[in-house]
């Protein structure tokens, strides 16, 4: 691993663990995810800073308008592609909307990239990511793949087999870290972690659950040997985001702070 990649990775991965606050849902899902408070990026960036997240995931526009005041407080993971919820899921494709050079210019410590494995557009997304991964390596920027089995050929995108397949694909494509959906049990998620080998596995938070359900899920994810989370709605939709963050930190990092 080249020096830049190792240095940037050390800001995102703490004692082998990762806790990212994801805030790219404005494009992926639309503003229906937001309320009056969390529609303001500063509200979420304050949570990322105070909660000592190991990174905040933003699209280019939010980073451009808001990240400057948080630089040095929380590492930036710049998402380089995206799509809206308005396009049909059958033939799903996530289009590049920013470049590795943008990530360098924005001072990002990692780039985030979504691929939909099994989609009729898979070949195009592999080819887009191959270029991005090569450029990221040249610049020494780690890559985090959001690896989702999705599209008309995928019968059940939550099945442990296809999620393991997605995690393995991320390893094969050269990602440092892969973000997948939780498979629902420690045992099945252990297979996902095993499939990814040297690529670190993190789980999505998913739609809002009760605090108890969410923390139980976090404990299971960690018990399976995963590195942590890229969580969004379960934190910034929570009425007490710092309280859930503290519980989440305990689940991910253990007692040692
Ligand atoms: P959540 O914890 O809110 O699910 O966020 C994690 C995340 O990966 C976001 O980065 C992304 O916007 C979203 O989930 C995509 O979810 P999906 O495409 O499954 O609806």
């Amino acid at each position: 691993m080249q020096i830049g990649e190792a240095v940037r990775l050390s800001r995102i991965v703490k004692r082998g663990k990762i806790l990212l606050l994801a805030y790219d849902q404005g494009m992926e899902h639309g503003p229906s995810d937001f309320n009056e408070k969390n529609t303001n990026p500063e509200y979420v960036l304050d949570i990322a800073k105070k909660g000592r997240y190991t990174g905040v995931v933003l699209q280019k526009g939010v980073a451009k308008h808001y990240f400057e005041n948080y630089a040095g407080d929380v590492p930036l993971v710049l998402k380089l592609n995206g799509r809206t919820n308005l396009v049909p899921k059958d033939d799903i494709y996530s289009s590049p909307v920013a470049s590795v050079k943008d990530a360098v210019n924005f001072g990002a410590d990692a780039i985030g990239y979504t691929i939909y494995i099994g989609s009729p557009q898979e070949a195009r997304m592999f080819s887009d990511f191959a270029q991005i991964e090569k450029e990221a390596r040249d610049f020494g920027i780690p890559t985090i793949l959001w690896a989702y089995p999705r599209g008309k050929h995928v019968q059940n995108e939550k099945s442990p087999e296809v999620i393991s397949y997605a995690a393995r694909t991320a390893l094969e494509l050269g990602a440092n870290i892969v973000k997948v959906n939780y498979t629902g049990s420690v045992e099945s998620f252990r297979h996902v972690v095993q499939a990814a080998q040297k690529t670190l596995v993190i789980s999505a938070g998913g739609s809002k659950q009760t605090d108890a359900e969410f923390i139980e899920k976090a404990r299971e994810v960690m018990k399976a040997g995963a590195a942590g989370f890229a969580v969004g709605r379960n934190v910034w939709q929570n009425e007490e985001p710092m309280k859930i963050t503290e519980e989440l930190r305990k689940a991910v990092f253990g007692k040692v702070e």
Side-chain angles (χ1 to χ4, degrees):
M1 188 183 294
Q2 66 125 292
I3 181 77
E5 192 177 330
V7 167
R8 288 187 177 93
L9 212 48
S10 76
R11 299 190 188 118
I12 304 270
V13 186
K14 297 288 177 194
R15 301 191 305 277
K17 304 291 176 0
I18 300 165
L19 188 55
L20 304 178
L21 191 61
Y23 189 59
D24 59 333
Q25 291 82 349
M27 183 189 290
E28 298 291 324
H29 298 159
S32 59
D33 271 4
F34 300 147
N35 61 24
E36 271 186 23
K37 283 193 281 192
N38 58 37
T39 193
N40 181 351
E42 286 168 351
Y43 176 80
V44 174
L45 280 157
D46 282 340
I47 298 171
K49 176 182 168 175
K50 287 189 202 132
R52 290 175 293 147
Y53 281 81
T54 69
V56 63
V57 182
L58 303 177
Q59 282 284 1
K60 177 177 67 179
V62 173
K64 175 177 161 179
H65 293 294
Y66 295 91
F67 188 67
E68 201 181 329
N69 292 338
Y70 297 85
D73 293 326
V74 58
L76 171 66
V77 177
L78 193 72
K79 204 70 200 298
L80 297 193
N81 67 339
R83 53 132 201 133
T84 70
N85 224 354
L86 303 173
V87 291
K89 292 221 166 49
D90 273 6
D91 194 31
I92 195 160
Y93 174 69
S94 186
S95 170
V97 292
S99 65
V100 175
K101 208 169 154 199
D102 287 327
V104 175
N105 286 338
F106 281 52
D109 282 314
I111 60 141
Y113 206 84
T114 299
I115 49 162
Y116 297 114
I117 75 154
S119 159
Q121 301 274 355
E122 180 191 89
R124 197 168 154 210
M125 282 180 281
F126 277 12
S127 158
D128 295 343
F129 182 70
Q131 274 188 6
I132 299 245
E133 192 277 332
K134 159 91 180 65
E135 233 182 299
R137 236 176 326 113
D138 290 345
F139 279 109
I141 300 204
T143 52
I144 307 177
L145 265 184
W146 273 230
Y148 288 117
R150 199 167 282 178
K152 68 179 172 197
H153 305 305
V154 179
Q155 314 232 305
N156 176 7
E157 57 182 64
K158 296 276 163 74
S159 102
E161 288 74 25
V162 289
I163 291 179
S164 291
Y165 202 162
R168 183 65 185 204
T169 303
L171 168 74
E172 311 273 354
L173 291 174
N176 297 87
I177 298 166
V178 61
K179 203 223 75 172
V180 290
N181 280 312
Y182 183 51
T183 49
S185 72
V186 175
E187 202 193 333
S188 60
F189 210 57
R190 224 173 247 141
H191 289 298
V192 175
V193 173
Q194 198 176 32
Q197 290 287 307
K198 277 198 175 180
T199 295
L200 299 172
V201 174
I202 57 178
S203 168
S207 54
K208 179 83 174 60
Q209 294 174 285
T210 66
D211 290 7
E213 281 166 349
F214 179 59
I215 294 302
E216 178 53 26
K217 172 166 149 179
R219 291 200 185 109
E220 288 180 15
V221 162
M222 299 315 289
K223 206 166 164 194
F229 273 89
V231 55
R233 290 165 289 176
N234 273 284
V235 170
W236 46 254
Q237 284 181 351
N238 196 297
E239 282 303 315
E240 294 186 88
M242 298 319 297
K243 183 166 168 272
I244 194 77
T245 294
E246 278 317 304
E247 287 179 45
L248 186 54
R249 284 189 66 83
K250 267 188 219 141
V252 172
F253 296 105
K255 289 201 182 97
V256 194
E257 284 288 308

